[in-house]
Amino acid sequence: MTAETVKIECRNVSKIFKQRAGTVQIPVLDDISLRVLENEFLVIVGPGQCGKTTLLRIIAGFETPTAGHVLLDGKEISGPGPDRGMVFQKYTLFPWRTVMANVEMGLKLRGMAKKERREIAGHYIQLVGLQGFEKAYPHELSGGMKQRVGIARAYANDPKVLLLDEPFGQLDAQTRYLMEQETARIWSAEKKTVIFVTNSIDEAVYLADRIITLEGKLPGRVKSSYTVHLPRPREHIDKKFLELRHQITEETELLL
Amino acid sequence: MNPDTRLKDPLSLRVTPWISFIGFFVVWQLLIDTGIVPRILLASPAEVGQLFIDKLTNPDPDGAVLLTHTMVSLLEAVLGYVLSLVIGIPLGLLMGWFVVAEGLARPPFEMIRPIPPVAWIPLAIFWFGIGLTGKVFIIWACGVVPCVINAYTGVRMTSPTLIQMARTYGASDWQIFTKICVPSALPMVFGGLQIALALAWTTLVAAELIAANEGLGYLITMGRRLLRPDMIVLGMIMVGLTGWIIGNIIDRIERRLTAGLERGGAAT
Ligand SMILES: Nc1ncnc2c1ncn2[C@@H]1O[C@H](COP(=O)(O)OP(=O)(O)OP(=O)(O)O)[C@@H](O)[C@H]1O
Ligand SMILES: [Mg+2]
């Protein structure tokens, strides 16, 4: 990794949702501060319903924090933008467009010429291992393939930061394991600043440069932070891998 | 739309509809032949068939051959229908996405919406007479409502995640509208087209029953005036048949346009 430039910074971010015309207040995030370095793979681990999606949505700019700031390259963000690409928890493809057209979408919206964007999209379709499926429609793909399209699309758009919200949460264990390998491979091939949200400690240790754990109940708070020094590619049965995984599991009192 | 989960017996599946279809006409014919239903009240299928052949070339007693009546009705229907699509669909789509469009168009639309289409007939005759223009206006007035409602609802149902994703790519409001909302709304829009068609066709016949000198509804009215049940039934059958054919054509266009688009449109 090159110089330690801070890419994304959350400063004391809190979020309170108001429900039923403001009579019910749900504090979802409380005083979250974190930094993500350039080309760092940060994984945020937390159990279900602890505000992980909300945090990513705030960083993406879809929600505004009730308090605190989010900075990208030292500048406060205002709304969503092409500098942050998101892969959603739910598969979010355009059902009436082919794989190629889905991956090209962002480039097309920015007005890139067809030849150029075909080339870029083709490259990332290849990178996620979907060559041959360029003309397929989303309903013809499996869950894992759909999420690959989502990742290819996010990459093709060349964002400064990639936000992944439990991208493999809906996949079976086998496919999930495979997708984790693929993600590590893609990231090694084309380094990017990544914030990856998951509820799986195993997934976190496999992928992360650094892991941040959130508290198990609302409002979500940062619990602790771990730096993962294991060399890549990692082995799930490596002794150090298991030790770290065990340590985090102990300290988060989180099963899985 | 859902796969049929009943046990399928291919033979009975193919045969039973025909039995019921033929049985319908046999029973009808028998009811007349045995005199259970008097001939002044209802014509038999044989008589209607005969009249159908006769009316292909004979303009008497109502003044026009069958094809003319059908074409007149079709022309009125198609003109009014196309006008309601051309105005209703873009309006509904725009209302679904642009707040200003909704604010401007909603109040007048909500005022007109509860008026049953047939209630427009007297005013339309008053304004435009009993010719083509009046009919086109009536059909337009009733067809435009479902077009607007369905296009509007279709846009409103667009998956918010798709819209948000487009926003991360820096898409403008107009791009989101044309590239995401409109394609997502297509299945709903086609639903609206079918509803509008059914409404338009019904209303047209009603209008022709009241005021016309040509058209299928007029054929029915003349049958009543001349005490000719065979003319009435022939008119009814032609109305049903023509409506069914147009419905099928629209269905086919829909299937071609939405190929590759999963029904329901939203992300899975
Ligand atoms: N727009 C909203 N309005 C009101 N409450 C919301 C909203 N979005 C999220 N919440 C609430 O915030 C809490 C945390 O939601 P969030 O989706 O961030 O959790 P999560 O950690 O991503 O959960 P999961 O693991 O199930 O994806 C939930 O209790 C939810 O009800
Ligand atoms: Mg979530």
Side-chain angles (χ1 to χ4, degrees), chain A residues 57 81-82 92 95 139 153 157, chain B residues 164-165 168-169 175 184 260 262 265:
Chain A
R57 288 172 55 82
T92 309
H139 71 267
R153 181 174 55 192
N157 222 32
Chain B
Q164 282 175 352
M165 174 155 45
T168 61
Y169 298 148
Q175 282 177 319
S184 304
E262 268 176 310

Side-chain angles (χ1 to χ4, degrees), chain A residues 47-54 56-57 89 165-166 197:
Chain A
Q49 299 288 295
C50 73
K52 307 181 296 291
T53 297
T54 307
L56 272 197
R57 288 172 55 82
Q89 194 166 357
D165 186 9
E166 292 191 56
V197 160

Side-chain angles (χ1 to χ4, degrees), chain A residues 57 60 62 80-86 88 90-97 105-106 108-110 137 139 146 153-154 157, chain B residues 158-159 161-172 175-176 178-181 183-184 259-262 265-268:
Chain A
R57 288 172 55 82
F62 298 136
D83 44 13
R84 283 146 295 150
M86 181 123 168
F88 293 83
K90 272 175 58 181
Y91 310 134
T92 309
L93 302 178
F94 297 97
W96 58 88
R97 288 176 184 272
M105 188 73 175
K108 194 171 164 186
L109 286 172
R110 270 192 270 155
Y137 284 92
H139 71 267
K146 282 184 205 169
R153 181 174 55 192
N157 222 32
Chain B
T158 308
S159 150
T161 350
L162 288 184
I163 294 174
Q164 282 175 352
M165 174 155 45
R167 288 222 188 279
T168 61
Y169 298 148
S172 66
Q175 282 177 319
I176 292 179
T178 54
K179 299 234 153 61
I180 297 164
C181 297
S184 304
L261 169 74
E262 268 176 310
T268 34

Side-chain angles (χ1 to χ4, degrees), chain A residues 239-251:
Chain A
K239 192 158 152 277
K240 290 214 179 93
F241 186 103
L242 291 170
E243 273 170 14
L244 182 61
R245 195 186 122 169
H246 184 69
Q247 183 199 350
I248 300 176
T249 311
E250 290 278 284
E251 289 173 14

Side-chain angles (χ1 to χ4, degrees), chain A residues 15-19 24 26-29 46-57 63 89 165-166 197-199 214 218 220:
Chain A
K15 180 76 187 176
I16 298 171
F17 279 115
K18 293 192 173 64
Q19 274 180 350
V24 184
I26 310 175
V28 176
L29 296 174
Q49 299 288 295
C50 73
K52 307 181 296 291
T53 297
T54 307
L55 179 58
L56 272 197
R57 288 172 55 82
E63 308 271 3
Q89 194 166 357
D165 186 9
E166 292 191 56
V197 160
T198 181
N199 56 21
L214 296 183
L218 290 178

Side-chain angles (χ1 to χ4, degrees), chain B:
Chain B
M1 239 167 281
N2 286 326
D4 196 340
T5 46
R6 288 175 306 180
L7 270 182
K8 274 186 216 145
D9 175 359
L11 187 69
S12 61
L13 212 64
R14 230 174 296 149
V15 171
T16 44
W18 286 106
I19 295 178
S20 132
F21 183 71
I22 295 165
F24 176 82
F25 288 100
V26 169
V27 170
W28 176 6
Q29 182 77 41
L30 282 177
L31 280 175
I32 309 277
D33 285 350
T34 54
I36 296 175
V37 177
R39 252 166 225 284
I40 342 166
L41 296 187
L42 188 64
S44 73
E47 286 167 329
V48 175
Q50 217 161 13
L51 180 66
F52 173 79
I53 293 168
D54 180 49
K55 282 299 293 174
L56 287 178
T57 50
N58 183 2
D60 289 333
D62 44 282
V65 296
L66 196 54
L67 189 67
T68 312
H69 283 309
T70 313
M71 289 318 283
V72 165
S73 293
L74 260 181
L75 180 69
E76 293 166 344
V78 168
L79 279 180
Y81 185 61
V82 167
L83 265 183
S84 62
L85 309 192
V86 167
I87 294 172
I89 293 172
L91 183 65
L93 293 171
L94 288 168
M95 280 168 68
W97 182 239
F98 294 101
V99 182
V100 178
E102 180 168 7
L104 287 178
R106 211 180 176 111
F109 181 72
E110 291 294 337
M111 283 190 290
I112 292 171
R113 178 155 90 132
I115 302 171
V118 282
W120 284 101
I121 297 175
L123 204 54
I125 295 169
F126 196 56
W127 288 345
F128 304 106
I130 60 169
L132 179 73
T133 325
K135 306 290 187 308
V136 170
F137 173 78
I138 293 164
I139 295 165
W140 175 79
C142 71
V144 82
V145 173
C147 287
V148 169
I149 295 177
N150 276 48
Y152 172 83
T153 317
V155 170
R156 298 307 306 245
M157 280 175 19
T158 308
S159 150
T161 350
L162 288 184
I163 294 174
Q164 282 175 352
M165 174 155 45
R167 288 222 188 279
T168 61
Y169 298 148
S172 66
D173 265 4
W174 181 252
Q175 282 177 319
I176 292 179
F177 176 66
T178 54
K179 299 234 153 61
I180 297 164
C181 297
V182 171
S184 304
L186 266 192
M188 277 298 280
V189 168
F190 277 105
L193 295 195
Q194 292 281 9
I195 300 171
L197 176 72
L199 255 180
W201 196 236
T202 329
T203 315
L204 170 67
V205 174
E208 284 180 345
L209 286 177
I210 296 174
N213 41 29
E214 269 175 327
L216 292 173
Y218 176 71
L219 180 66
I220 296 174
T221 304
M222 285 311 281
R224 182 178 59 84
R225 288 201 195 137
L226 301 171
L227 305 178
R228 289 276 303 271
D230 52 343
M231 273 170 68
I232 299 180
V233 174
L234 178 63
M236 287 167 66
I237 290 178
M238 289 307 294
V239 166
L241 205 64
T242 317
W244 180 74
I245 291 171
I246 310 176
N248 267 338
I249 293 173
I250 292 189
D251 219 35
R252 201 154 297 175
I253 297 175
E254 167 178 10
R255 243 173 275 158
R256 186 152 312 167
L257 278 182
T258 55
L261 169 74
E262 268 176 310
R263 277 264 189 170
T268 34

